[in-house]
Structures are given as C-alpha cells and as structure tokens.
Amino acid sequence: MKKISISLAILAAMGLGAVGNASATNNGKLVLTGTLTDISCDVGAGSGASAGNNPGEINVDLGNVSFSDIGRPAANKIETASPIQLLVNCTAGAAKYNAVKMRFVARQGSGLDNSDQTLLRTTGAADGVGIALLNASNEFMDLSGNETIDAALVRQGTDGATAELNFAAVYALNGSSAATNPGNADGFLPFVLDYE
C-alpha cells in the first residue's frame, strides 16, 4: 500500500542533566520515516461540498438543525445528514493502483468527542452534540477506529485515474450528562488518501 502522507516520528530519549553539572550531556536520536510515491492526485469538492479558503480545505455546511431532529448514533437518525462527494483526479502514476481509501485523523483535527469517542468533537457554543460520519451505506462510522471510505480508481488515459468518494456528515447527540445547548457546532477533520 502506498501512502501520500509523510510521517515524522521523533523517538528521542533526552535526559536532563543534573543542575550545576558542567559536564552533563543530553543525548537523543531522531528516527525519521516516510514514504514517497509517484502518484499525483488532487482532491476536489463534488456535490454537497465546496472549496475552502486554503489549499486542501473542503467546506461542508451541515445547516441549521434542531436538537429534536438528531439522536444518538444508535438511534440512526440520519434525516438531516449532509451528503458529501469528493472527486479524486490523478494525473500521473495511477496505472499500478486500483483503489483509493480515505482514512480520517480526528485526533489531529478538532479531536474526538469527550463523551462519545466515535464522534468528532465540535467547537463553538453548542453542547451535547458531536459530528458523525456516515459511510456510503449510511452506517455510522467510528472515528476512533480505522474505518475508511473506499472507491475504485477509474483509468483515464495511460497513467491517470479518477474516483468518487461518497459519504455524509450529520450531527449526533453525544450522550453527555450536560444539557444540550444551542449555538455553533463546527469541527475540522483531516484525512489521508491511501492508494492500493
């Protein structure tokens, strides 16, 4: 599996010298790992999304939703879900790949909800709510796990390909003991595309 991300692992064990010890040393080591790939792909907004203000950002408007229209993930209340379509366009290096998998990195975004780790934590004034993702089968995804949104790569020319990633986002009650409170409920969720 090729990844389009490059990871930096700092596995340094740096000891602190004793105070006043002129000959103290600090030793450590950086272990840098990563993967380079020759596939060149862009991800753009399809239906239900729009381009953000910065490169790589994709905006999704979840709308103005009433607490009475949402429930816990187990209640499967998805009537207010916002469908999201992302368009993958590979211009080079795609000939040896058949599929793309989108995985989410919630902990590097607004985080996992404190009361329900399957949901994305929201920022803003609203309380008692998180943001859930639904896969293409309208099933709630566990954002703390390793679930992915998968799509086949469709060949375009000799070395290019395209794909459509379809899923949805919906507000969900997080089950916290705190009362629900209206207000903005925003979040951001980084993702990585892996090609196989």
Side-chain angles (χ1 to χ4, degrees):
M1 171 171 39
K2 294 287 183 176
K3 297 180 183 174
I4 177 183
S5 66
I6 295 178
S7 60
L8 168 66
I10 301 176
L11 301 173
M14 302 191 80
L16 295 175
V19 176
N21 187 349
S23 64
T25 60
N26 290 319
N27 296 320
K29 146 171 91 166
L30 293 177
V31 178
L32 306 167
T33 62
T35 303
L36 296 174
T37 181
D38 56 359
I39 191 167
S40 177
C41 303
D42 293 319
V43 180
S47 61
S50 63
N53 295 329
N54 298 308
E57 285 184 354
I58 298 170
N59 293 333
V60 177
D61 184 359
L62 296 180
N64 189 359
V65 178
S66 170
F67 276 108
S68 64
D69 293 331
I70 64 175
R72 300 265 308 156
N76 206 35
K77 290 185 82 171
I78 61 172
E79 294 79 17
T80 61
S82 296
I84 303 167
Q85 179 188 66
L86 299 183
L87 305 174
V88 179
N89 183 30
C90 303
T91 56
K96 58 187 168 189
Y97 301 105
N98 296 312
V100 58
K101 295 186 172 201
M102 172 187 268
R103 60 184 164 93
F104 302 97
V105 196
R107 288 177 178 90
Q108 293 178 12
S110 54
L112 295 170
D113 187 274
N114 292 332
S115 298
D116 185 339
Q117 295 279 295
T118 67
L119 304 175
L120 183 67
R121 178 186 302 136
T122 60
T123 61
D127 291 320
V129 66
I131 298 173
L133 290 189
L134 305 171
N135 63 22
S137 299
N138 284 329
E139 299 165 334
F140 280 81
M141 297 179 67
D142 181 352
L143 293 179
S144 69
N146 297 318
E147 296 181 57
T148 59
I149 303 292
D150 306 342
L153 286 171
V154 178
R155 299 279 175 254
Q156 301 290 324
T158 57
D159 211 21
T162 60
E164 290 182 10
L165 297 165
N166 293 292
F167 55 107
V170 65
Y171 287 122
L173 297 176
N174 64 15
S176 71
S177 58
T180 55
N181 201 31
N184 285 1
D186 306 326
F188 69 100
L189 182 59
F191 62 83
V192 177
L193 298 180
D194 297 321
Y195 298 90
E196 296 180 345

